[in-house]
Amino acid sequence: MRRLRSILALTFSTAAADELRERLEQAIARPYEELAVATFHSFCATLLRDEALEAGIDPFATPVTPADRLAMLIEHIGELTLREHDLRGNPAALLGSFIGRIDRLKDEMITAADYAAWAEGLPEGDDAERSRAAREREFAALYADHERLLARAGTLDFGDLQLRAFALLRDRPHVRARVAARYAHVLVDEFQDTNFAQGLLLSLLVAEHGNVTVVGDDDQAIYRFRGASTKNLRDFQDEHADATVVRLERSWRSGQRILDAAHAVVAPNADRIDKQLSGEPGGEVRFWSAVNERAQAQAVARDAERLIAHEGVAPEEIAVLVRSVRNEGQAVAVALEERAVPHRIVGAASFFLRAEVRDLLAWLRLLVDPTDAGAVVRALARPPIELRAIDIARCTQIARRRKLDMVSALVAATESPQLPPEARERILEFLKLHRSAASAVDTMRPDLFVHRLIDRLGLRRQQLFAAQANVVERLRNLAQFGELASQYVLREPQATPREFARSIAAVAEAGLRVEEARATGRGGAVQVLTMHAAKGLEFDHVFVLGLQASRMPGTRRRQLEPIPDELLKESVPTDSRAAHIAETRRLLHVAMTRARHGLVLAHAAHGPTGAAQPPSEFVEEARAAIGGEWEHQEEELFGPAETLHATYQALRDELLEGVPRVGGRLRELRLDTDLDIAHAVVRYLELIKVGALIDRAGSQRVEEALPELNTRLLQAATAEQREIFETSRLDEYLLDSERDASRRTRVIAAREEPSLEPFLPRRGEGLVLSASDIDTYRTCPLKYKFARVFRIPQEPTLNQRFGILVHQVLERYHQSGGAGTLPEMLELLEHGWRRGGFSDSDEELQLRAKATASLTRYHERFATEPAQPVWFERSFTFRLGPHTLRGRVDRVDRLPDGGYELIDYKTGRPKTAAQLKDDVQLSIYAIGAREAWQLDAAAQAYYYVLDDAKVPVARGAAELDWIRDTVLEVGEGILGQGFEPTPSYAACSMCDFRIVCPAAER
Ligand code: SF4
């Protein structure tokens, strides 16, 4: 158990960390305290928070995302100098590119001061040099401003997390020793892609004990700076000369043919670590030459349909990998849609392109600027207003003619006789919403404003009961918008919604990527994603598209602002065409090795203008290595729903082509001429048959119509023709197509059925559950669905925010394992208060006085109590039936008699022991302590901090059985998607979802 806790596993991306954690949780059946699986960034964030005092940072600081940083720069654009850079009318886009550049510099540990010193020394011999030097100095100044603004806000970006964690471990040997003692073993996955800063951090992390295991594959390095694919692995061997090298050359994923083809693609790369993987025999690799992009997409859809319908492959085990989801991805989506193949485009639209997010943005923009006609028109056209296009046109005409802003024009339009009454009603509804929102745009807190706006517009309500998978994603995106507003408030506690709206609109304009909501699973759908995004994933069947020479390797995109060699603290290859080719080969290799059983490499032989596009040489190499043949894929002019028309056309073409040939042979003395004629006649009979099927009564199925048609047609046939007619495979083909069509209809009908499966917190066969999940579900299953499946953000009340703050103060106070002084505790309260966006209203000042008094009492009680606190914030995880239960106990005390007491802090009003009769939380904690820490708790209690009241909750063995049954029952209910509401006055009056809940309506 101890060993499990002492292993730290670091991975490259959040998705990879989630995947690794999931696999470990499934593999580890025994209970444990905590699994330390993290990305480098999240590990650094936790380390700095735990060691905030040593690191000299604000313990309440939350790291900021690139979008937050862009918003911050935009808010202070007046303080920045941007004379030497071309703004192209869009400063947000330029600032967005600076943020990417600063991130790259921080990955290479190049500080603002380093950059400024380098820029100062640039030569200024001629005009070109002078202009370059001026531009670089301006960027250096901006980099410094960026750092200054972050420091002023008391926060860190992701690059800083690494740099500050590195400095902490380098400069504080006792902290380094503490961390080394806690994590006695460090594992790093995807080591080939860790950046320079992460590499140095890792060296310090393991400096004390040297217990480090890294896993890497230079053939899969697609993120390392300047394509330095082997550098990390070679440096590691140099640094740890005694390291044991275990060659992992057995692939547990891909069939041998797939591995051989993929190997042929990377084998020509110079300086690769030589290896040849072996796998299970088999693996199918096909090469498709499609006439154009549409044919390529259609062929994928056809084959995916075949795999699902006839080979029993689960849709989520099929992936379509493209270079760009916006272009090729959309073509594939259209073709899959035509065949009703369920699919999910991953990362298609960045967050700000999602319809629901744009609706919200439109409202924010028009509230700030009523002349923003585009935003007003969108708001009018979309729910809840949904004004008809013709009426919108009338309103814009009024605005133009009378030179009014759009909102004023709408006021004028309500007087216009041109507008029908229904349109007038809709406009009045818009104006009502506008008035109520506009009245708060300069006063309310931005996050509350966004929550209210979402509710008022009914954006959530419109989606809520249509429970399809993408509806849940939409709800989560709305929730994320609320999150962005909350983060903004943390940065700018005094800002108004107007300022937030300006800032978020600029971030959206800059096109910075904000993570959109993702389903947790693959959701029973074919996955369409980029080759880069597929890294770390695996599927039964993979289609890799767009493999024409012009794109693979394609031309090298030169970095506009490369990092100067003089500033680099590591030696990496130069940025050359050869490096680009090698990296592209690795990218294709990564894409190919995602496949377990089937791989298709496809290219579109003609571009949109009809120009020929030869296949990539890499694909040719793969084809030569395994002796594959090109298969040609034509474009289908008729969609899959038009099989009869398509067949009719194909038969007709064949017949017309055959007529002169057969006619010509009539004059020759050949033995098989009669047979040719018989075949031609049968083609003709079949053409009549398909024509008759096209014209049959709409309700009659092909299967029902065929026997009679065949009988009648055969009456006109000779014995020889009859034989050919009866052995033709046409009927079989038509019947198969009909079966596929009815399957599609069933799939489409089934889509109406809500399935929330991908959004349930699955772990293996069961769920991941916490005590509060169980409590919520027991209170009302619909409430659980709102809170945990849809994840509708709850607008925290003042009391809840205050409760969270007190909790955080206690957590930080005990962070180092002991207790500090009262002034330290009150200083933490002061910090948190400022960051929490509290104001100076009487009510809030009263709460603060209450917090000061209760924390002072807590401190006294803590110092004088006979019980000895031994752990704070201690985690547990254990299995109960198929479910994984997780939790964290606020405090564990050793009692004078040697027993242990589990304590959970509460900030609400104290409950009596009788009111806590059905409480599950402390009982789950007791089981967790027993299972994960082998600690039998003698007592459990809630400590109501604000009232300084401790309420013990006693539980006997029989009651623990009851808990077990309760957990299993709740788990079964959630897995069965039993979300029927159980309204009651007690539950609904306290429920944050009353406003959206139909069950709460009278
Ligand atoms: S309002 Fe009542 S019925 Fe609706 S989700 Fe909340 S507790 Fe359940």
Side-chain angles (χ1 to χ4, degrees), residues 591-656:
M592 292 166 76
T593 50
R594 300 308 92 202
R596 293 191 196 101
H597 310 305
L599 170 69
V600 170
L601 301 177
H603 85 110
H606 298 92
T609 58
Q613 301 186 139
S616 161
E617 62 182 294
F618 306 165
V619 179
E620 287 292 14
E621 287 161 5
R623 197 171 67 80
I626 60 167
E629 292 292 334
W630 283 111
E631 296 171 38
H632 294 278
Q633 305 290 348
E634 296 295 331
E635 181 175 353
E636 293 169 352
L637 296 177
F638 293 93
E642 298 156 318
T643 307
L644 289 175
H645 291 89
T647 313
Y648 184 85
Q649 194 186 53
L651 282 173
R652 189 195 59 195
D653 292 350
E654 196 183 331
L655 189 67
L656 291 178

Side-chain angles (χ1 to χ4, degrees), residues 779-784 786 981-984 987-989 991-995 997-1000:
T779 305
C780 172
L782 184 58
K783 184 176 179 186
Y784 175 90
F786 287 152
T982 51
S984 68
C988 300
S989 59
C991 178
D992 293 310
F993 307 109
R994 299 192 288 288
I995 187 80
C997 177

Side-chain angles (χ1 to χ4, degrees), residues 162-174:
Q162 292 177 170
L163 295 176
R164 298 292 286 267
F166 170 78
L168 173 70
L169 295 180
R170 183 194 55 198
D171 303 338
R172 298 268 194 280
H174 56 287

Side-chain angles (χ1 to χ4, degrees), residues 812-845:
R812 311 278 201 274
Y813 176 70
H814 290 302
Q815 204 112 62
S816 50
T821 61
L822 180 61
E824 275 169 11
M825 185 184 237
L826 297 181
E827 195 185 328
L828 283 171
L829 176 67
E830 165 68 25
H831 259 298
W833 188 267
R834 267 191 274 116
R835 290 218 156 255
F838 292 95
S839 72
D840 287 339
S841 71
D842 287 349
E843 190 187 5
E844 300 190 20
L845 289 176

Side-chain angles (χ1 to χ4, degrees), residues 761 767-781 783-784 787-788 876 878 880 883-887 918-925 927 962-972 974:
L767 298 163
V768 181
L769 293 169
S770 69
S772 116
D773 292 340
I774 291 162
D775 207 35
T776 307
Y777 189 86
R778 289 179 70 225
T779 305
C780 172
K783 184 176 179 186
Y784 175 90
R788 305 290 198 267
F876 61 79
F878 65 96
L880 205 158
H883 308 298
T884 305
L885 273 94
R886 273 194 206 152
D918 274 351
D919 176 79
V920 290
Q921 183 181 347
L922 283 175
S923 308
I924 288 178
Y925 285 9
I927 304 177
W962 168 78
I963 290 290
R964 189 188 152 79
D965 293 346
T966 305
V967 171
L968 293 178
E969 204 178 296
V970 166
E972 212 171 287
I974 297 171

Side-chain angles (χ1 to χ4, degrees), residues 612-790:
Q613 301 186 139
S616 161
E617 62 182 294
F618 306 165
V619 179
E620 287 292 14
E621 287 161 5
R623 197 171 67 80
I626 60 167
E629 292 292 334
W630 283 111
E631 296 171 38
H632 294 278
Q633 305 290 348
E634 296 295 331
E635 181 175 353
E636 293 169 352
L637 296 177
F638 293 93
E642 298 156 318
T643 307
L644 289 175
H645 291 89
T647 313
Y648 184 85
Q649 194 186 53
L651 282 173
R652 189 195 59 195
D653 292 350
E654 196 183 331
L655 189 67
L656 291 178
E657 204 182 283
V659 166
R661 188 167 32 86
V662 178
R665 284 194 190 164
L666 280 179
R667 278 180 277 115
E668 297 170 17
L669 277 175
R670 289 173 55 144
L671 290 176
D672 54 0
T673 303
D674 286 350
L675 193 60
D676 280 353
I677 295 170
H679 273 286
V681 172
V682 169
R683 281 289 155 274
Y684 183 59
L685 293 177
E686 288 185 332
L687 188 62
I688 296 174
K689 172 157 68 177
V690 177
L693 285 172
I694 289 172
D695 274 351
R696 77 193 190 282
S699 58
Q700 194 183 29
R701 289 168 47 220
V702 169
E703 194 178 6
E704 292 161 357
L706 272 177
E708 195 196 333
L709 282 175
N710 285 339
T711 309
R712 296 193 60 185
L713 288 167
L714 283 174
Q715 283 170 5
T718 64
E720 193 176 33
Q721 290 160 5
R722 173 183 286 265
E723 198 185 326
I724 298 169
F725 188 93
E726 283 175 345
T727 50
S728 161
R729 309 213 30 206
L730 177 66
D731 286 9
E732 205 180 305
Y733 170 72
L734 294 174
L735 289 170
D736 266 356
S737 303
E738 183 174 62
R739 277 192 283 273
D740 281 344
S742 69
R743 185 194 57 79
R744 275 179 221 125
T745 315
R746 281 199 308 279
V747 169
I748 290 169
R751 283 189 195 168
E752 305 304 323
E753 296 284 312
S755 175
L756 299 172
E757 176 64 31
F759 295 91
L760 301 181
R762 297 291 300 228
R763 191 66 80 249
E765 294 296 298
L767 298 163
V768 181
L769 293 169
S770 69
S772 116
D773 292 340
I774 291 162
D775 207 35
T776 307
Y777 189 86
R778 289 179 70 225
T779 305
C780 172
L782 184 58
K783 184 176 179 186
Y784 175 90
K785 176 165 138 181
F786 287 152
R788 305 290 198 267
V789 183
F790 290 168

Side-chain angles (χ1 to χ4, degrees), residues 31-212:
Y32 53 90
E33 202 169 317
E34 202 160 19
L35 273 184
V37 181
T39 61
F40 272 95
H41 290 154
S42 64
F43 168 73
C44 292
T46 312
L47 174 67
L48 291 173
R49 208 193 56 216
D50 290 352
E51 300 284 352
L53 271 182
E54 296 281 0
I57 61 164
D58 178 351
F60 287 92
T62 42
V64 281
T65 63
D68 294 330
R69 290 153 61 204
L70 175 61
M72 183 188 75
L73 289 180
I74 291 167
E75 280 144 32
H76 297 92
I77 198 159
E79 300 169 38
L80 311 175
T81 311
L82 292 168
R83 270 182 229 116
E84 305 294 334
H85 287 83
D86 185 359
L87 294 174
R88 294 171 197 265
N90 186 356
L94 177 70
L95 294 175
S97 75
F98 284 162
I99 283 172
R101 206 169 152 194
I102 290 172
D103 285 341
R104 285 202 305 279
L105 289 167
K106 287 190 178 177
D107 282 351
E108 290 298 316
M109 300 190 97
I110 301 166
T111 62
D114 293 340
Y115 206 90
W118 169 78
E120 262 326 301
L122 284 174
E124 298 190 61
D126 56 23
D127 281 355
E129 282 184 347
R130 268 193 294 283
S131 133
R132 177 181 178 228
R135 231 185 19 259
E136 295 293 5
R137 281 173 205 148
E138 186 170 279
F139 171 73
L142 186 122
Y143 186 1
D145 285 337
H146 171 269
E147 300 301 279
R148 182 174 50 76
L149 290 171
L150 282 183
R152 198 199 288 170
T155 191
L156 305 173
D157 63 17
F158 295 154
D160 288 336
L161 291 176
Q162 292 177 170
L163 295 176
R164 298 292 286 267
F166 170 78
L168 173 70
L169 295 180
R170 183 194 55 198
D171 303 338
R172 298 268 194 280
H174 56 287
V175 175
R176 194 166 65 227
R178 197 150 59 214
V179 174
R182 169 145 192 213
Y183 300 116
H185 301 269
V186 180
L187 308 178
V188 186
D189 191 18
E190 306 277 10
F191 184 65
Q192 73 281 352
D193 279 324
T194 53
N195 62 41
F196 178 63
Q198 291 164 345
L200 291 191
L201 181 75
L202 178 66
S203 300
L204 286 178
L205 266 178
V206 303
E208 306 281 321
H209 49 59
N211 294 328
V212 55

